[in-house]
Amino acid sequence: MKYLKQITIMFKKLFQLVLFLSICHNASADLPNDTAGKVETLPVPYPDDWVIVHDIAFDHMSIGRFMVMDINGGDIKDFFKGSFNGGFISAFTQALKKPEMYVLEHYYDRGTRGNRTDVLTIYDKATLEPVDEIILDDPRLKRAEILVSKFVISLIDDERFLLFYSFTPGTFVTVIDLEKREVVNGVPLPTCAGIYPTGKRGFSSLCGNGSMVSFQLDEDGQVTGQDKIEPFFDVDEDALFERPAIIGGTGYFPSFHGDVQEIDLSGGAARLGEKWSLLNEEDKSQGWRPGGAWLAATDSTGRLYVMMHENGEEGSHDYPGSEIWVFDTAGKTRVNRIPLTLPAIAFDITMGDAPKIVTTNIEMKLEVYDARSGEHVDTIADFYHNWPLLVYASQ
Amino acid sequence: MNWLDKQTENITRNVAKTSSRRGFLGGLGSVIAGGSLLPLLPVARARATEQPGPPEVDPGDPATCDYWRNCAIDGYLCSCCGGTINSCPPGTEMSTITWIGTCRNPGDDKDYIISYNDCCGKTSCGNCFCNRNEGDRPTYRPHTSNDYNWCLGTESTAYHCTVNLILGVAIK
């Protein structure tokens, strides 16, 4: 009987040990195996607070890139959503009605030398993969490589045609039919540049003698009409920036000295609108002028935002801006001055009901401001980049 | 040093007077307006033949942004890249299609027409970036716009650095 009791106790302890080991084993269960090949995708349309930032890679231009970023703060895992490439100071635009983005670029088969291939690459917004490409092999129509311009490439006719500025230095506007996926025309330009969508299926360009030309195209991309605004500004005395904000079919073109020239682009040909000053007398005495790599933008309410610097002079038109001024275009009055925490060289404004200004500052970091209040919200930095020069609000 | 640091530096730079160059550029613009073919561009004939003059008539260090010939430049100074003020670094190709500026030489107080020729075919030099924009105008007037990549007519459009060549004294 005594032995039976001891055996019972022993089995009881053994059971407790097995139970303990079992619990311990369950607490450190193996992680499940991962599945190879999983790749993230992005939501389309992109949220309002996402932007696309062009790293022009000025120190290694053969491969620049575009970064998709959420500007709602956090750390790098929160704001960096993905990227896609663009060769040799590429040009970029995005569709509103299709999940497509377009990169105009070229490459050499040995990096910086060898055979050149020009291509319009079509990226899918969700996967950031190139889903199609159009080879551009007409030597007359090689694209212009311009460091800072959003208007070297434009979509017209409900996004059916893509136009880009060609410069060899012969000047053309190349017309691509995106449905057919082919080049359908090369429109010769006089000494002009910039592609500003005009009317149903047309575009306008500013010219070196201070004039503007307009073209309308037919359903095949061929020119059906041409018009011209005779010279209306002095390029030497007070040039218009070729970097306007387009608001409700009207282009607002700042001038070097601080005027803004309105041009109606809603009809079949460009029509000259009012010219008014961004400056009051005190501003003028302090030498305030518009400037920067990208200096004008708008928000969902149609206000005009212009980046400004003080003590302007000949040659200061590319200087970083220390403030962004906000104008009511109906009343042609300034409604806000937004001091920047650091001077900026370019900016854009997100769409939606809570728009935010996103600047590239002189330290090549992104700054986020509330566009309504002007309050500084965040600084986005510490991500690998060289030249995140131009910011595009997602469409 | 990146471009924007340089830009910020340039804010304080004393900008040369431009009254005489405007007259010249206006005249030049009227000559080439409407013409976009290469032979019409006078700058296409630019060639590197001259060396910088003695300091008393050609003052300044060509490897610095403040050097007078750099008044309208936007790029890397070839003097810092294995080239000189008017010659490209080894293994590159000089573009003969260029933009021009008009710069005042403090050595003789004359305005000189300067051709800014890009050296091409290798990736960016990365040394001595300089961005000055005196007389620079938007891209719709290409011959005075430094926002283009002027590696045109070369085997490769890869931009490396920029030299500046005297084309002559500006006629007032």
Side-chain angles (χ1 to χ4, degrees):
Chain A
M1 194 62 187
K2 180 181 174 185
Y3 291 113
L4 184 60
K5 189 176 180 181
Q6 285 179 334
I7 289 171
T8 302
I9 292 171
M10 192 173 72
F11 270 102
K12 193 174 178 180
K13 287 188 175 179
L14 184 62
F15 177 76
Q16 287 173 337
L17 177 64
V18 170
L19 184 62
F20 174 75
L21 291 174
S22 174
I23 290 170
C24 289
H25 177 76
N26 286 338
S28 60
D30 293 341
L31 294 174
N33 293 343
D34 287 322
T35 303
K38 184 182 177 186
V39 179
E40 297 294 326
T41 59
L42 301 177
V44 177
Y46 293 160
D48 286 341
D49 282 346
W50 286 22
V51 296
I52 297 153
V53 181
H54 186 184
D55 176 358
I56 64 168
F58 196 71
D59 290 340
H60 48 89
M61 297 181 194
S62 58
I63 300 183
R65 65 172 177 167
F66 297 86
M67 301 173 288
V68 182
M69 305 184 78
D70 181 349
I71 57 161
N72 277 316
D75 60 21
I76 192 166
K77 72 179 185 305
D78 300 309
F79 60 70
F80 201 101
K81 298 300 179 186
S83 65
F84 50 102
N85 291 341
F88 286 100
I89 312 290
S90 53
F92 167 83
T93 193
Q94 54 189 318
L96 282 167
K97 299 178 178 178
K98 291 176 281 189
E100 293 182 347
M101 301 185 286
Y102 307 95
V103 177
L104 188 62
E105 56 186 342
H106 69 269
Y107 293 95
Y108 293 92
D109 59 11
R110 283 169 176 71
T112 58
R113 60 190 175 85
N115 296 315
R116 170 174 169 169
T117 301
D118 285 64
V119 62
L120 178 75
T121 308
I122 301 171
Y123 282 92
D124 178 74
K125 288 185 178 180
T127 64
L128 300 185
E129 287 183 356
V131 293
D132 208 346
E133 64 178 27
I134 300 166
I135 300 296
L136 308 166
D137 54 7
D138 188 332
R140 298 175 309 147
L141 305 179
K142 297 299 184 189
R143 69 188 180 92
E145 285 182 62
I146 295 177
L147 202 55
V148 282
S149 184
K150 297 182 179 180
F151 289 105
V152 294
I153 184 170
S154 290
L155 296 168
I156 64 168
D157 194 20
D158 209 23
E159 302 179 348
R160 176 179 170 187
F161 291 106
L162 182 145
L163 313 180
F164 71 86
Y165 175 48
S166 300
F167 181 73
T168 60
T171 49
F172 289 84
V173 168
T174 301
V175 183
I176 294 177
D177 186 328
L178 288 173
E179 291 179 2
K180 295 179 180 175
R181 300 291 208 221
E182 65 182 27
V183 174
V184 294
N185 198 5
V187 181
L189 284 178
T191 307
C192 310
I195 302 171
Y196 311 110
T198 302
K200 174 176 169 46
R201 194 185 297 116
F203 68 93
S204 299
S205 301
L206 282 172
C207 302
N209 63 353
S211 65
M212 177 172 257
V213 292
S214 297
F215 298 86
Q216 282 295 317
L217 309 178
D218 65 15
E219 291 184 352
D220 297 320
Q222 305 304 303
V223 174
T224 58
Q226 182 174 344
D227 208 335
K228 183 177 184 180
I229 304 175
E230 294 299 331
F232 59 96
F233 66 98
D234 188 319
V235 180
D236 289 307
E237 293 297 328
D238 190 16
L240 295 186
F241 286 96
E242 78 277 55
R243 311 160 200 170
I246 308 291
I247 306 173
T250 296
Y252 292 81
F253 292 79
S255 78
F256 279 21
H257 289 191
D259 287 336
V260 62
Q261 174 67 60
E262 295 183 7
I263 300 178
D264 180 4
L265 301 167
S266 63
R271 292 285 175 260
L272 209 55
E274 290 188 54
K275 185 177 183 179
W276 46 284
S277 179
L278 300 169
L279 312 173
N280 59 31
E281 291 306 314
E282 184 182 8
D283 302 329
K284 290 177 183 174
S285 69
Q286 295 169 346
W288 284 97
R289 291 189 181 189
W294 200 262
L295 68 150
T298 187
D299 64 13
S300 55
T301 66
R303 286 181 169 173
L304 172 65
Y305 295 68
V306 183
M307 196 158 66
M308 307 290 293
H309 62 274
E310 205 173 0
N311 301 319
E313 56 190 359
E314 167 61 32
S316 73
H317 50 277
D318 279 348
Y319 281 1
S322 58
E323 296 188 7
I324 290 175
W325 292 3
V326 189
F327 294 87
D328 167 27
T329 53
K332 306 185 193 323
T333 54
R334 185 174 63 204
V335 296
N336 201 3
R337 288 175 67 158
I338 300 174
L340 303 178
T341 54
L342 271 180
I345 57 167
F347 77 104
D348 203 358
I349 302 173
T350 61
M351 292 291 107
D353 296 330
K356 299 194 176 59
I357 299 170
V358 184
T359 71
T360 301
N361 72 24
I362 57 171
E363 294 179 349
M364 287 293 179
K365 297 174 182 174
L366 303 179
E367 304 276 7
V368 182
Y369 301 83
D370 184 305
R372 295 274 181 268
S373 67
E375 178 188 356
H376 180 254
V377 178
D378 203 0
T379 301
I380 297 177
D382 302 326
F383 56 97
Y384 175 78
H385 63 284
N386 282 323
W387 301 80
L389 191 58
L390 285 188
V391 179
Y392 296 80
S394 67
Q395 303 282 323
Chain B
M1 177 173 288
N2 77 31
W3 169 44
L4 297 172
D5 293 334
K6 276 295 182 188
Q7 276 200 322
T8 308
E9 271 185 25
N10 288 340
I11 292 174
T12 60
R13 181 167 293 110
N14 182 28
V15 177
K17 302 301 180 187
T18 58
S19 55
S20 61
R21 92 180 46 125
R22 287 176 184 162
F24 167 74
L25 292 176
L28 180 63
S30 66
V31 169
I32 71 165
S36 56
L37 298 176
L38 173 59
L40 294 179
L41 291 171
V43 290
R45 295 189 295 274
R47 291 291 185 273
T49 56
E50 299 296 325
Q51 295 297 314
E56 60 273 19
V57 293
D58 190 2
D61 179 357
T64 63
C65 198
D66 287 331
Y67 178 58
W68 66 274
R69 292 197 206 183
N70 292 330
C71 78
I73 203 169
D74 183 5
Y76 298 110
L77 305 180
C78 287
S79 297
C80 302
C81 302
T84 70
I85 188 70
N86 56 18
S87 63
C88 285
T92 62
E93 178 186 7
M94 186 183 295
S95 172
T96 54
I97 304 171
T98 73
W99 85 99
I100 59 170
T102 307
C103 302
R104 174 67 57 90
N105 176 9
D108 60 13
D109 212 27
K110 294 177 182 175
D111 289 330
Y112 286 84
I113 305 166
I114 304 295
S115 166
Y116 296 95
N117 298 58
D118 287 343
C119 300
C120 313
K122 295 181 184 296
T123 197
S124 305
C125 163
N127 301 326
C128 298
F129 188 86
C130 180
N131 181 213
R132 294 172 61 182
N133 296 298
E134 297 161 33
D136 171 60
R137 289 297 179 266
T139 51
Y140 51 75
R141 196 167 74 178
H143 64 281
T144 57
S145 177
N146 64 22
D147 281 339
Y148 286 90
N149 177 3
W150 284 96
C151 285
L152 296 171
T154 47
E155 286 294 315
S156 166
T157 67
Y159 168 75
H160 187 66
C161 63
T162 303
V163 297
N164 45 33
L165 314 181
I166 292 176
L167 295 185
V169 176
I171 301 170
K172 296 181 181 178

